[in-house]
Amino acid sequence: MQAPFFPVLGFASLAHILLIALSAYLYTDSYRIAPGVHAHGLIGIAGFCYCMFLSFLITRQRYGNRTMPLQIIFALFSLIMATGALLSEYFLLNLAASASLFGCLMLWHFFRNTSNQRENVFLRAAVIISVLCWVYFLYSLNFEYFFMFETRFSYVLLALSFPMSLLLFSRYVDMLNISTPLVNLTIATLVGGVLSMFFGMLLQWYWVEKISAGVLLLLISLYLIRAFRLGNIALIVAFTGLLLTGLSGVWYVLVAESGTVAMDVLRTHAHLAHFAWATFGIYLLLMLRHSFSSMQQALFLSLLLLSLTALVPHLLFDVPILLHISTTLFLAAGLCLPLALWHQIRHNLGIAD
């Protein structure tokens, strides 16, 4: 009989929630790792979102007896990454990224298919993209140029959000009752669109970037329409959040091309991606996995969206009281994670609810 499984990555993610709330007040040069990247953003994406992605990926069904060691490795080095971000200590950032790269290679090597074939394809692609993300993280952190083009460390936040998106889509296509041919088309569109947009940004081929973004926005719009037809409110909110994220990204590109300083727009785009897409999706999947009631789901997701509603005006108009309100609501929404961890520990110990 296997020993009860301890959700290490879940507890690391809980620590990251607290660090996200704290670092929301640290938008100063002292906590800036590189142009466009502050500790807050790196902890939010490379810490919380990526850890939660891994907590869904690294399961006993997929990795067997290697599950606990893999979870410990990623949890430990995610916290080292957060420490390096807060201290602007490049040695720690390089150490954590190198360990994460090695860990992702192990994830690929030991990857074991489960009965959910659709999810297998999405998550295999997510692991491959994770490997590329950590390679780019290490290179862009330490070098300014690669052959003919300039590396930009700020792109790391976008890159590390892609595995999370693939996880979310792997579950959403089932919730939307999408046929297998359309699922295959979704995978090809997502992976191809994401990679072409990323390389378009790196090479400054703006036409590639715009075409890729347009194709991805079309895919999002089609699934939003599908969610409306099914009347699934959670998915309507999720894809609306993703659509707003995409449109705010286009807004930033247009403003940046005009020569206007657009850091507030960029920060708004990043927070939409974090709150309205990634974190919303994480909480939704987490609560579905642990059979939260409809009332509980509505409570925690509403708190998260109210947090975003307070945050966006603060980012655009600098209203300090809204930041305090947003942080408080974010922490309240995050209480769904310790509740889910409690449910999981009780289940693993064989304690009936």
Side-chain angles (χ1 to χ4, degrees), residues 216-234:
L216 291 173
L217 285 174
L218 177 60
L219 177 69
I220 295 164
S221 300
L222 291 174
Y223 280 160
L224 177 58
I225 293 170
R226 175 69 174 171
F228 268 109
R229 288 177 176 171
L230 292 176
N232 189 317
I233 295 175

Side-chain angles (χ1 to χ4, degrees), residues 133-152:
C133 288
W134 291 116
V135 170
Y136 183 75
F137 185 107
L138 288 165
Y139 197 90
S140 62
L141 182 65
N142 295 286
F143 301 97
E144 291 185 7
Y145 289 92
F146 177 71
F147 290 112
M148 301 290 292
F149 61 88
E150 180 182 3
T151 59
R152 298 189 182 184

Side-chain angles (χ1 to χ4, degrees), residues 229-303:
R229 288 177 176 171
L230 292 176
N232 189 317
I233 295 175
L235 290 185
I236 290 171
V237 174
F239 282 107
T240 298
L242 184 55
L243 184 61
L244 290 174
T245 299
L247 291 174
S248 65
V250 173
W251 180 21
Y252 170 72
V253 170
L254 294 175
V255 174
E257 284 185 354
S258 69
T260 305
V261 176
M263 289 309 299
D264 290 340
V265 177
L266 180 60
R267 287 174 60 191
T268 301
H269 168 68
H271 282 84
L272 279 167
H274 185 190
F275 281 71
W277 172 244
T279 304
F280 181 92
I282 289 168
Y283 287 179
L284 177 60
L285 296 191
L286 194 66
M287 290 189 284
L288 290 175
R289 181 165 72 177
H290 295 287
S291 301
F292 279 47
S293 68
S294 298
M295 187 65 71
Q296 288 175 316
Q297 292 179 42
L299 171 64
F300 290 116
L301 294 177
S302 295
L303 287 170

Side-chain angles (χ1 to χ4, degrees), residues 312-323:
V312 171
H314 165 70
L315 293 174
L316 295 175
F317 306 110
D318 191 21
V319 185
I321 186 63
L322 291 179
L323 177 59

Side-chain angles (χ1 to χ4, degrees), residues 98-286:
S98 298
S100 298
L101 172 59
F102 179 71
C104 285
L105 291 172
M106 289 195 295
L107 291 178
W108 172 256
H109 180 71
F110 295 117
F111 189 97
R112 190 163 73 189
N113 288 331
T114 64
S115 58
N116 190 335
Q117 295 303 316
R118 291 179 169 188
E119 185 179 84
N120 292 334
V121 178
F122 275 102
L123 293 186
R124 277 189 180 276
V127 174
I128 293 172
I129 289 178
S130 291
V131 171
L132 297 175
C133 288
W134 291 116
V135 170
Y136 183 75
F137 185 107
L138 288 165
Y139 197 90
S140 62
L141 182 65
N142 295 286
F143 301 97
E144 291 185 7
Y145 289 92
F146 177 71
F147 290 112
M148 301 290 292
F149 61 88
E150 180 182 3
T151 59
R152 298 189 182 184
F153 186 67
S154 59
Y155 292 168
V156 163
L157 300 183
L158 175 64
L160 285 171
S161 70
F162 294 153
M164 185 74 244
S165 290
L166 285 166
L167 168 68
L168 295 178
F169 267 94
S170 74
R171 306 297 178 90
Y172 289 166
V173 292
D174 286 335
M175 295 168 68
L176 290 168
N177 299 321
I178 303 299
S179 65
T180 298
L182 286 178
V183 169
N184 294 334
L185 180 60
T186 296
I187 295 172
T189 303
L190 280 175
V191 176
V194 158
L195 290 177
S196 62
M197 183 173 67
F198 191 74
F199 282 108
M201 293 166 62
L202 287 177
L203 297 170
Q204 296 186 352
W205 292 350
Y206 296 115
W207 62 274
V208 173
E209 183 182 347
K210 291 174 181 176
I211 291 174
S212 302
V215 170
L216 291 173
L217 285 174
L218 177 60
L219 177 69
I220 295 164
S221 300
L222 291 174
Y223 280 160
L224 177 58
I225 293 170
R226 175 69 174 171
F228 268 109
R229 288 177 176 171
L230 292 176
N232 189 317
I233 295 175
L235 290 185
I236 290 171
V237 174
F239 282 107
T240 298
L242 184 55
L243 184 61
L244 290 174
T245 299
L247 291 174
S248 65
V250 173
W251 180 21
Y252 170 72
V253 170
L254 294 175
V255 174
E257 284 185 354
S258 69
T260 305
V261 176
M263 289 309 299
D264 290 340
V265 177
L266 180 60
R267 287 174 60 191
T268 301
H269 168 68
H271 282 84
L272 279 167
H274 185 190
F275 281 71
W277 172 244
T279 304
F280 181 92
I282 289 168
Y283 287 179
L284 177 60
L285 296 191
L286 194 66

